[in-house]
Structures are given as structure tokens and as C-alpha cells.
Amino acid sequence: MSDGRPRSAFRADIEGLRALAVLLVVLWHADAPLISGGFVGVDVFFVISGYLITRGMLAEVRERGRLSLSRFYARRAKRLLPSAGLVLLAALVLAYLFLPDIRWRNTAWDVVTSAFYVVNWRLADQAVDYLAAEQAPSIVQHYWSLAVEEQFYLGWPLLLVGVAWWARRRASAGSRFRAGALGAVAVVGLASFAWSVFLVETDPGRAYFVTTGRVWELAIGALLALAPLRLPGALAPVLGWAGVGAIAGSAMLLDTSSAFPGLLAVPATVGTALVIAAGTTHRYGPVALLRLRPMQFVGGISYTLYLWHWPLLVAFTVGMDDPGFTAPAAAVALAVLLAYLTSRLVERPLWHSRKLSVRPRAALAVGLACTVLSGCGGVVFQVATAPDRGDNPAVWDMQGAAALDVDDAERAGAPVDRADQIVPDPRVARDDLPTIYADDCHASKEETRVRRCTYGGATPTATVVLIGDSHAAQWAPALQAIGQRRNWKLITYTKSSCPYLDIVVAESDKPYHDCRTWNQAVRRAVAEDRPDLIVTSSFNYSAYSDGGVLSGRQNRTALVESMRRTWRELSSLAPVVVLRDSPAPRIDIADCVSGNRTRLTACAVSRDEALAGIGPLQVEAAQGAQGVHLIDLTEAICPTDRCAAVIGDVLVYRDTNHLTATYVRTLAPRLDEQLPAIAR
């Protein structure tokens, strides 16, 4: 989204190509029809940036015999950083005015990492963080691509400076530099491409954001600058249009489920290179479209339009299940206006400033000041909006599930618009987790190592083992409370996205072998514990067979049969309690409550829909099973035809499907009532 060219080197085709790229991204974000893969616009930008930056450095080496890092970084700083910093500060204002307060903390740190151009690594970590996977996207999430480019700008010149130094020590420095740079770029690009292909298969969430898996796209542009394609006259426009077709085809045929970038990014990136190679000399080539005035206008504001469009789309459509046409269109229209003003009043004056052009240090100082200012803005926002983290009020008497025992029980469990208080506060609901998370007792999706944690006294009367995924782990607070009363020893074995079953389940449409490996290790560990009771539960999953992911009746049959076999095997060690999975609202309840504190009924969901998960399969599998006891606490979680977000002043869910630890603790007496005959 940047360039390295003086105005004398202006190319109308590249300006129009920028317009095509940003339009694809904006239309995709606005949910325009037919643009399911508009994210490839970012890949177009990457190739353009690699081309222009490398071409500019090559020209400097040709003219001066060396590269000036200070001038290079100064040009980047004065053009990119002021506008980026301005929009980051504006994003904080938009977040405060429009977003639910539960998002403020993450927004603050997203702004800080965006200001210092490392947000892509933060997003990569969140993409594989099970606890953050279903949260709303950040208002500055689009800065990830800018972070990739800025990291490229930091490292790429250093690589070419090394090549230039090597070339100066030999005759014909210019030709030596080009040859050396070609070799270096090719090696880096191929390594990055291989890593991208590998990562898409093994870790697709991280693959999308990490710089190491994206450098090859910039390297394509760099290679084109170092070794320009000389297309035959008659062939150039044909290949140029083929390049446009590859970009457009990718934008229409790909979607968010595609294994991207990797191999699927090749058509758009190579297509961009072909459009650039086609050049401006062929009147029937892509330039005929790209040089049109509307395309030139949009290309001229492409950088600032990219900055503005996403924060405004997020702000204008927050809380809307179906934004429709009006809200996104209004956001895009305002983004175009603000992009034009920012380009006219901020970007171009600083970019073309003569004083800053001859004083690289001053230009760097301006850019650094903008970066620090926006970064500090994020820190101040976090401090100023931080919620009070005092201890939660007692919830055992008439709060939470206990409120269902009052005379007017129907009213207590039905959705209401207001609550006297909400515990935990939605702003900190993400942290209302079972202690096994803080104790580092819950295994991540990628782990196969068994994490065994023990809770209870030194001389327990019974040993209870909890096994399963995060939906089993969510019951730990209730079992711990019961264990304290009964003098139990509680042992936990839990792992994200991993039900305790004897079959392979699917994870991201791939076989989750790490889960099966972990389950086998847990089976051996549980046998050594010699428990008096085994408790398990799980969320909804799909089985995986040699033919792929199962669905429909096949999947139902495979899961039910696996549950029966698994529970039967566990029952040979101790009685088994299966906790029917809790109703899953499938909307982010904490986020919804955060934005609807005086209209909580907006966050209520249909009971039938919430129960349409694995629960019925668990009921079927437990029927007639010797030594297996099913406990169903649905009536204490969703007692009416619409599941309430808050019951007895306690927030029921911390996300789209997990109960808050606070609410689970209020369920302990009800769970305890159903355990004595089993556990004693």
C-alpha cells in the first residue's frame, strides 16, 4: 500500500491496480455479493509494494552506487505513519462511542500493536487461541497487512544493502548488484512460499497473518523489478488481461474457508505481476481500464481508504445480525470522504514536503512521533477504561441458579431487560474461567502432553476424575466446590476441542490426531489414579473417517457408538457421570450483554436452537449403559423457551457457548443433589 517512486515515475496502470485492490477489500468487508474472496486485494497490494520498493532501491544503487537507509526509511515514515496514526486515534474514539465496553481492552492493545506494526503476530496468536477464536474482529484488524509491509520495509533494505556492499567490492557494481539481489530475493521468496504452503496445511489460522508466510508475495514484485518481463507486443495485452482475470476470478471463487494463502494465492499474485509487466504502452491492455478517471481517483486515495473503511464498517454495523445495504454503504461513503480529506490534508503535504525530503532525520522524527502518539493513545485508553476488578459479590444465597428456587421461579429464569447487577461484569467475563486455566492445567489444541492437576485435601474420602474438552473443564468450579464440602480429591484432564472419545474427530475439516493421542495417554493416566468417580462432558463435534468429515446420520451414529464404547470402557474403572452439554446460544452473550445492559432480552436465544447440539446424542448414548449416569442441568441453565443471558444477577455465558465460572459455581448445589447416590 506504499510505493517507492518519485512522481516522474508515475504509472497509471499501477495506480489503477491499487484501486482494484482496495475496491476488492472494501467490497468484501462490506459483504458485497460475488466478492467472497475480496481479501486477495491485499495480496495485490503486496506484489505492488514489493515491485515499487525494489525498483526504487535498484534505481538508487544505479545512480549512487549505494543505498541510503536513512532516506529510504524517511520516505516511508513521512508518507505512511502520519495517516496510520491518525486513523488509529480515530478508531479509539469510534470504539468508545460505538463498541460494547467488553471490546475496549482488546481494542486498546490492538491499537498499541498496530502503532508499532506487530499486530499481525498478535492476531496470529489469537487465531490459534481457543478462548479468543469466536470473539468479534478487532476494529483495527486490517492493520495486519500494514504490519507485514512495514516489517518487510525494515528487513528488505538491509538485505539489499548487504548485496550492494558485496557488489561494490567487485567491478560492474550495478550488474553485480542486480544478479546478487535476484539470487537473494529468489531464495527468500522460495523459502517463504514453501513455509506458507506448509503452514496453511498445519496451522491455517496463523498462516494467514504471519509475515514469514507472506514475504514471498512481496518477493514476486521484487523479482519483477529486478528482472522485468519483456512481453511480446501482441502478447502483452492478452497476458495483462489474463492477470486481471486471475485477480477477479480469485476474488469471486475463493472464500474464508479456502486454504489461504499458500498455493491458492498464486493466481492473484502472479496475475498482478502480469498486469504490471503488461505496462502502459498497449492501448488495448488492462491500462485501458485502469487509467480511467474513477480508477485513478480511487487509486490515489487507496492507502487512506484502506485505513478508514474497516473501522467505520465495524462502528456502523455493530450489533447487527444482518447489516443489509444501508449501513455498510453509508460507512463506505464516509470512508471515501475521510480518505480523500486525509490524503489531501495529511498524506500528500507530508509526502511531498521539500523540507522533509532534504532532512531525513526530521521526516523520521515526524513518523516516530505519530507512532508513539497513537501507541500512547492506546495505553491511555486502556488505563482510562479499565473496569474495576474487585472481588465478585457472594453468589451462593439468592443469586445465579439459586434464584430459580424462589417462589416465582418462572420469572427468575425468564429473560428480563434489567438486572440489579451483573456478576461478573461483562467487561471481565472473558477472564471468568475455571481455575484450571490459571493453574496451567488445561492443554491447548496443539498439545499431546497430559496436564494433570489435583485439587483437595491430603486425606480425601474419594477421588473424582474430570476428563474432556473445555465443556468438561467448565464444570470444574462446581466440582471443586462440592469436593471441598465432601472432602474429595479432584483430578482434572482437559484439552481444548478434544472430546474424550475413541474415534478421530475433525478439527478445521482435518483429522485431529493430536486429540486421539492425548486421549490414549489420558486413559493410561486415569487407570493409575484408581478413581471412585469419573465425570465427563463435551461440546459438539464431527467424526472423521478415511473418506473425510462425516455429517448427518453417519456422524450421529459414529458419535453415539463411540460414546457408548468409551463410557463402557471407563465404567470398568469407576462409575461414570456424563454431564449433558450445556445449551449453546451461539451468539457472544458477554459481548451482547455488554452492549445491551438495559435491554438484556435482546441477548436471549431460542431454547430449541441452543439445545440442538451434542446433548441429544449424549442422552441416546447413555440410555441403558451399565455404570453410566447422565445428569442434565438444562433446567437450571435455560428453564424457559428462551435462554436468558443473566439469571439471578449472574451472567450465564462468557462467550458463544461456555458458561461463566461464576454461574457454574451457583449450579454446585444442584449438581451435588444428583451425585450422592453415585459417589458415596
Side-chain angles (χ1 to χ4, degrees), residues 549-568:
V549 180
L550 299 182
S551 61
R553 181 176 297 180
Q554 280 188 318
N555 183 56
R556 181 186 182 97
T557 301
L559 290 175
V560 169
E561 291 179 352
S562 177
M563 290 178 201
R564 286 174 176 161
R565 289 193 305 270
T566 304
W567 299 343
R568 186 185 308 117

Side-chain angles (χ1 to χ4, degrees), residues 208-385:
Y208 191 82
F209 294 109
V210 296
T211 307
T212 49
R214 291 286 190 167
V215 165
W216 67 272
E217 300 181 34
L218 293 116
I220 286 178
L223 288 171
L224 185 62
L226 292 165
L229 289 175
R230 307 297 183 187
L231 300 179
L235 193 59
V238 175
L239 291 178
W241 281 114
V244 172
I247 297 169
S250 296
M252 290 187 289
L253 297 176
L254 299 178
D255 57 35
T256 53
S257 67
S258 301
F260 198 86
L263 291 170
L264 292 183
V266 171
T269 51
V270 172
T272 303
L274 288 175
V275 176
I276 295 173
T280 60
T281 58
H282 305 280
R283 57 183 299 188
Y284 298 111
V287 70
L289 168 67
L290 301 176
R291 69 185 173 196
L292 295 176
R293 188 176 297 274
M295 297 293 283
Q296 293 297 294
F297 170 77
V298 175
I301 63 169
S302 59
Y303 175 59
T304 51
L305 179 57
Y306 183 84
L307 293 176
W308 278 111
H309 85 281
W310 180 246
L312 291 171
L313 279 169
V314 171
F316 277 43
T317 61
V318 65
M320 297 182 182
D321 293 331
D322 181 11
F325 172 80
T326 303
V332 171
L334 182 56
V336 171
L337 175 61
L338 291 176
Y340 172 75
L341 293 175
T342 305
S343 180
R344 185 74 177 268
L345 302 177
V346 179
E347 179 191 17
R348 293 181 186 179
L350 291 172
W351 185 20
H352 299 304
S353 168
R354 291 186 178 182
K355 291 183 179 180
L356 295 180
S357 296
V358 298
R359 299 174 61 190
R361 290 185 180 180
L364 287 170
V366 169
L368 180 61
C370 294
T371 294
V372 172
L373 180 62
S374 55
C376 289
V379 174
V380 170
F381 185 80
Q382 163 64 13
V383 173
T385 61

Side-chain angles (χ1 to χ4, degrees), residues 100-227:
D101 52 16
I102 190 176
R103 303 190 201 178
W104 289 354
R105 178 177 60 175
N106 278 343
T107 296
W109 295 124
D110 289 341
V111 166
V112 172
T113 53
S114 294
F116 293 98
Y117 294 98
V118 292
V119 71
N120 64 312
W121 294 102
R122 173 174 166 83
L123 294 173
D125 288 340
Q126 291 177 348
V128 297
D129 180 358
Y130 180 77
L131 296 178
E134 295 186 340
Q135 294 179 20
S138 168
I139 197 170
V140 292
Q141 180 162 307
H142 62 314
Y143 270 70
W144 76 268
S145 62
L146 304 181
V148 169
E149 288 200 6
E150 291 301 327
Q151 291 161 35
F152 171 79
Y153 297 153
L154 286 174
W156 206 247
L158 297 178
L159 174 66
L160 296 189
V161 162
V163 173
W165 175 84
W166 169 81
R168 283 205 313 272
R169 296 171 60 88
R170 290 161 175 78
S172 304
S175 59
R176 291 276 186 176
F177 171 77
R178 186 186 293 271
L182 268 173
V185 170
V187 169
V188 171
L190 287 173
S192 172
F193 178 70
W195 177 244
S196 177
V197 172
F198 171 77
L199 210 56
V200 161
E201 292 298 320
T202 59
D203 197 351
R206 184 179 293 274
Y208 191 82
F209 294 109
V210 296
T211 307
T212 49
R214 291 286 190 167
V215 165
W216 67 272
E217 300 181 34
L218 293 116
I220 286 178
L223 288 171
L224 185 62
L226 292 165

